[in-house]
């Protein structure tokens, strides 16, 4: 048996290590806003909170489905900010802009501006401007929780002077194999045929080409088809049309951000039947993520009956497509004339564990939400507070990940 004095010395040496591990564990459950304050408590806490292993561990414990990125007009500016889902309905005043540092402000007439996507607490924004040599495009990375904003990326010149029908799609995601955040741009011609693809790694000062992309057409329509890639399972996904056979078929184009190779996945089996007679330019299809699974939703407004949502239970396994929702406009209490249905846009914002759906409805510029209970077909119509114009990102989570 060790002498008492020696045991005391051993315990004294073990305490600091145990203490640091305990502090690490406790801080990993603390929200980002509070962690930013706690960095000032002492040097050891600042070191823990700034450590990359802690940032990754904290990210894993960050609550999902709690926040969205919204935008609203304020005079000559548009302000983007993160909002708690609950505050959109229960406490409108809590999302008013009181501190410009908590928002991303930009002038509506300064540049063409949009958001590409969000991943691990970072939001990728897109800016563009017309120059004498063509269309200049750049991206920036923003962490709404820490209020850090990167500088503009290297410019990407897109020639629109000789070909005014050149269009582009973007995507933003994280490659966990190389710990790299990537932005993808896909350019296509007036027929929807891909002309080139490029990738930008966050922190680099250039764009590079992606080779060997499959033969597919973009869904260039006058309807509503989400063009920004949906990130899930280390892949970016877009809805497209396969051009590999005489019969055009809707597919999901999936880009693995690790090796930058493509895979074509089939849509749900009933999808082509629904849209067999729908004019191509009138499609209303959205990709998204529900309960950590890829989903596709569509509005068969051509028939004027139902809103449908499918979920891919296991990513990449086409047989795992499962129909989650098939609800009529009558049950949703959507009052819209058939000839004006093209002005209506529905999107499944959230699916809850009890099977309820929160669905957004955008009609003209009026944004509303419907909480739909499938069990008893109960509908609760919810009005967003007046200043919200758009919901840009539905999958945003708060984190300490740095955009710099």
């Amino acid at each position: 048996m060790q002498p008492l004095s020696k045991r005391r010395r051993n315990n004294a040496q073990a305490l600091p290590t145990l203490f640091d591990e305990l502090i690490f564990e406790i801080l990993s459950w603390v929200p980002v806003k509070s962690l930013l304050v706690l960095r000032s408590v002492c040097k050891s806490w600042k070191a823990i909170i700034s450590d990359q292993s802690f940032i990754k561990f904290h990210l894993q414990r960050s609550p999902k489905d709690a926040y969205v990125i919204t935008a609203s007009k304020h005079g000559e500016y548009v302000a983007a900010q993160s909002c708690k889902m609950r505050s959109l309905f229960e406490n409108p005043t809590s999302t008013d802009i009181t501190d410009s540092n908590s928002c991303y402000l930009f002038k509506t007439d300064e540049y063409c501006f949009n958001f590409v996507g969000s991943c691990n607490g970072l939001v990728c924004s897109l800016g563009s401007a017309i120059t004498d040599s063509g269309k200049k495009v750049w991206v920036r990375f923003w962490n709404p929780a820490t209020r850090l904003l990167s500088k503009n990326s290297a410019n990407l010149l897109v020639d629109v002077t000789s070909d005014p029908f050149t269009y582009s799609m973007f995507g933003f995601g994280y490659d966990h194999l190389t710990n790299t955040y990537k932005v993808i741009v896909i350019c296509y011609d007036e027929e929807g045929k891909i002309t080139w693809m490029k990738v930008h790694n966050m922190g680099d000062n250039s764009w590079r080409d992606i080779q060997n992309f499959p033969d597919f057409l973009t869904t260039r329509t006058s309807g509503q088809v989400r063009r920004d890639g949906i990130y899930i399972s280390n892949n970016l996904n877009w809805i497209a049309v396969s051009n590999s056979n005489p019969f055009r078929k809707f597919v999901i184009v999936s880009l693995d951000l690790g090796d930058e190779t493509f895979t074509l996945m089939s849509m749900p089996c009933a999808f082509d039947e629904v849209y067999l007679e729908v004019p191509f330019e009138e499609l209303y299809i959205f990709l998204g993520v529900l309960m950590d699974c890829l989903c596709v939703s569509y509005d068969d407004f051509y028939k004027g009956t139902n809103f449908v949502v499918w979920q891919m239970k296991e990513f990449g396994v086409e047989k795992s497509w499962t129909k989650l929702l098939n609800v009529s406009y009558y049950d949703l209490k959507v009052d819209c004339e058939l000839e004006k249905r093209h002005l209506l846009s529905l999107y499944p914002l959230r699916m809850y564990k009890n099977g309820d759906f929160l669905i957004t409805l955008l009609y003209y510029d009026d944004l509303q939400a419907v909480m739909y209970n499938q069990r008893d077909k109960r509908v609760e119509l919810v009005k967003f507070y007046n200043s919200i114009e758009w919901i840009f990102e539905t999958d945003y989570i708060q984190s300490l990940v740095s955009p710099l």
Side-chain angles (χ1 to χ4, degrees):
M1 184 174 179
Q2 290 181 339
L4 181 59
S5 59
K6 187 174 182 180
R7 278 183 289 161
R8 284 177 175 174
R9 287 197 302 270
N10 290 340
N11 289 338
Q13 292 173 356
L15 278 175
T17 302
L18 178 62
F19 183 74
D20 285 346
E21 291 176 353
L22 183 59
I23 293 298
F24 186 101
E25 173 69 19
I26 294 173
L27 291 178
S28 68
W29 294 100
V30 177
V32 173
K33 186 176 181 179
S34 298
L35 286 175
L36 299 179
V37 177
L38 292 175
R39 288 183 304 181
S40 304
V41 170
C42 60
K43 290 183 179 180
S44 62
W45 284 27
K46 182 177 181 180
I48 291 174
I49 296 170
S50 304
D51 186 76
Q52 288 301 313
S53 61
F54 175 82
I55 292 174
K56 290 183 178 180
F57 192 65
H58 181 270
L59 176 63
Q60 295 173 4
R61 290 185 165 178
S62 296
K64 297 181 179 180
D65 296 337
Y67 292 86
V68 293
I69 300 295
T70 65
S72 53
K73 293 180 181 179
H74 295 266
E76 60 179 339
Y77 288 92
V78 171
Q81 61 182 334
S82 66
C83 295
K84 287 185 177 180
M85 280 290 299
R86 238 181 301 173
S87 68
L88 297 180
F89 312 108
E90 298 178 0
N91 188 14
T93 57
S94 67
T95 52
D96 287 343
I97 295 176
T98 56
D99 182 1
S100 61
N101 290 326
S102 66
C103 306
Y104 194 150
L105 292 174
F106 58 94
K107 287 187 176 182
T108 55
D109 59 349
E110 187 173 9
Y111 298 110
C112 178
F113 184 89
N114 210 331
F115 286 108
V116 176
S118 66
C119 181
N120 294 345
L122 295 183
V123 178
C124 178
S125 63
L126 167 69
S128 65
I130 302 297
T131 67
D132 293 338
S133 56
K135 185 178 182 180
K136 181 175 66 174
V137 175
W138 65 89
V139 293
R140 299 182 79 178
F141 305 98
W142 172 46
N143 185 323
T146 62
R147 303 181 182 182
L148 294 177
L149 178 66
S150 73
K151 296 180 180 178
N152 289 356
S153 71
N155 289 330
L156 176 64
L157 290 178
V158 182
D159 183 10
V160 295
T161 55
S162 60
D163 182 8
F165 297 102
T166 300
Y167 295 87
S168 57
M169 302 189 302
F170 286 80
F172 174 58
Y174 173 69
D175 175 23
H176 64 83
L177 299 177
T178 61
N179 192 30
T180 305
Y181 290 88
K182 297 183 177 183
V183 182
I184 308 297
V185 58
I186 302 174
C187 275
Y188 52 93
D189 60 22
E190 67 273 14
E191 296 179 352
K193 187 174 180 59
I194 306 301
T195 55
W196 54 262
M197 297 185 187
K198 289 184 181 291
V199 57
H200 171 74
N201 293 350
M202 188 177 77
D204 288 355
N205 58 2
S206 63
W207 295 76
R208 56 182 173 81
D209 293 325
I210 294 180
Q211 306 292 344
N212 303 320
F213 46 84
D215 186 15
F216 66 89
L217 301 175
T218 60
T219 49
R220 178 170 166 254
T221 76
S222 59
Q224 297 181 30
V225 180
R226 176 161 183 170
R227 303 188 186 285
D228 295 330
I230 297 297
Y231 175 76
I232 187 172
S233 298
N234 215 63
N235 283 254
L236 279 169
N237 303 272
W238 296 267
I239 293 176
V241 178
S242 174
N243 202 30
S244 59
N245 56 65
F247 302 99
R248 293 184 177 181
K249 183 179 180 180
F250 287 96
V251 294
I252 295 174
V253 177
S254 184
L255 172 65
D256 188 315
L257 292 179
D259 55 17
E260 296 178 3
T261 57
F262 287 89
T263 301
L264 299 184
M265 298 187 295
S266 297
M267 297 284 280
C269 58
F271 179 83
D272 286 328
E273 297 176 7
V274 172
Y275 277 107
L276 188 62
E277 299 179 359
V278 178
F280 187 72
E281 67 276 4
E282 295 179 354
L283 294 175
Y284 285 71
I285 323 165
F286 295 95
L287 274 183
V289 175
L290 291 175
M291 304 291 286
D292 294 324
C293 292
L294 187 70
C295 72
V296 60
S297 59
Y298 52 87
D299 166 18
D300 65 339
F301 81 96
Y302 188 71
K303 294 182 178 180
T305 56
N306 290 47
F307 177 65
V308 184
V309 180
W310 289 78
Q311 182 187 59
M312 182 177 272
K313 295 288 187 180
E314 185 177 351
F315 182 76
V317 180
E318 297 170 348
K319 292 183 179 180
S320 69
W321 279 117
T322 303
K323 186 181 290 185
L324 297 180
L325 183 68
N326 186 357
V327 57
S328 69
Y329 292 116
Y330 177 82
D331 287 336
L332 286 178
K333 299 182 180 179
V334 175
D335 184 16
C336 179
E337 298 176 10
L338 181 60
E339 58 269 19
K340 295 182 179 180
R341 191 61 54 79
H342 65 284
L343 300 172
L344 176 68
S345 174
L346 287 81
Y347 185 79
L349 190 61
R350 290 287 186 273
M351 175 185 174
Y352 297 96
K353 291 182 179 179
N354 62 1
D356 289 357
F357 276 85
L358 179 62
I359 303 170
T360 58
L361 296 87
L362 181 64
Y363 186 55
Y364 288 93
D365 293 327
D366 184 26
L367 183 63
Q368 299 183 34
V370 168
M371 185 69 75
Y372 179 67
N373 183 308
Q374 290 195 82
R375 296 179 302 279
D376 54 15
K377 295 185 178 181
R378 179 169 50 85
V379 174
E380 179 184 356
L381 193 61
V382 186
K383 179 75 173 180
F384 286 105
Y385 79 93
N386 293 333
S387 61
I388 288 183
E389 303 286 341
W390 313 277
I391 296 180
F392 274 118
E393 295 304 328
T394 62
D395 305 318
Y396 169 72
I397 60 175
Q398 291 195 333
S399 80
L400 291 164
V401 177
S402 174
L404 305 179

